[in-house]
Amino acid sequence: LSDRGVPMARRDWMSSRPAPITPLSARLIGYGGLVPFAGTGIVSWFLWPSETADAVLQVQLVYAALILSFLGGIRWGVAMTHAGDFKRRVPDGLGTKLALAALPALGGWLALFTMREAAFLVLMLFFAAQAISDIRMVNNDEAADWYRPLRLQLTFFVELALAASLVLTLSQ
C-alpha cells in the first residue's frame, strides 16, 4: 500500500503510483469470454479421439477468430477516437493504424482455412501480437491503464487453451 492506503502495482512497488483498478464489468465480461475457450478445450480432451472432439476443436478455432476480430475492432475504435474531428486533413498515420486494426480479423479468418495445427499456431501468434499492440496502446496513453493487466491475463489464458488444444491435435 502507498502512504495514502492505495494499492500499488507489483511492478511499481517502489513508486507512489497507484495500481490501476480494472472495472468489475470489464473483468466479468473479459473472464466470461474465456469460458468458451476453457469449455471447448475441456470437452475436447474428455472426448478425444472422436468426431465430436474434432467438431468442438473447430468451434474453439472459430471462437478464437471471432475474438481476434473483436480485439481488432477495439483498435479501430481507438484509432478513430484519437483521430479527432478533422475537416480537410487526415491525421498522420491514421491509415496505418486502421490497417493494423483490420489485421487480427483477417488473420483469424485465414487461419480457419489452414490445417488445424497451423490454425492453432497462427491464432496463438496473432493473440500474442495483439497483446503486444494493446500494451503499446496503453503505454502511448491511448487506452486506460487497467487495460494492460486485463489483456495480459486474458491473453495468458487464451494462449494456454489454444496450446492445450494444439497438443491434443498433435497427439493424433
Side-chain angles (χ1 to χ4, degrees):
L1 293 178
S2 72
D3 55 352
R4 294 178 299 195
V6 177
M8 293 173 34
R10 286 185 195 103
R11 67 176 170 72
D12 293 331
W13 65 275
M14 294 184 70
S15 79
S16 61
R17 184 177 178 186
I21 298 173
T22 305
L24 179 60
S25 57
R27 284 183 295 183
L28 290 175
I29 294 167
Y31 295 130
L34 294 176
V35 171
F37 283 107
T40 54
I42 291 168
V43 168
S44 61
W45 274 85
F46 278 111
L47 297 178
W48 192 259
S50 69
E51 288 183 25
T52 304
D54 285 336
V56 170
L57 287 175
Q58 189 62 34
V59 168
Q60 186 183 59
L61 288 171
V62 171
Y63 183 70
L66 289 170
I67 293 300
L68 266 178
S69 182
F70 171 78
L71 294 173
I74 291 172
R75 294 294 306 201
W76 184 284
V78 167
M80 285 179 19
T81 300
H82 285 90
D85 295 325
F86 53 89
K87 296 187 188 244
R88 296 184 182 176
R89 188 174 173 286
V90 175
D92 292 338
L94 179 62
T96 300
K97 288 180 180 181
L98 294 177
L100 289 174
L103 281 180
L106 181 62
W109 179 71
L110 289 174
L112 297 177
F113 296 100
T114 64
M115 291 179 13
R116 182 177 296 152
E117 296 85 357
F120 280 117
L121 286 172
V122 167
L123 289 167
M124 290 172 68
L125 288 172
F126 268 90
F127 272 102
Q130 186 64 39
I132 292 167
S133 177
D134 287 345
I135 290 167
R136 286 186 182 149
M137 183 172 66
V138 172
N139 291 344
N140 292 334
D141 292 325
E142 296 174 330
D145 283 347
W146 59 260
Y147 192 56
R148 178 188 303 116
L150 181 65
R151 283 291 292 120
L152 288 174
Q153 293 163 14
L154 296 175
T155 300
F156 172 79
F157 287 109
V158 167
E159 293 283 352
L160 187 64
L162 294 175
S165 295
L166 174 61
V167 167
L168 183 64
T169 301
L170 292 173
S171 71
Q172 280 183 320

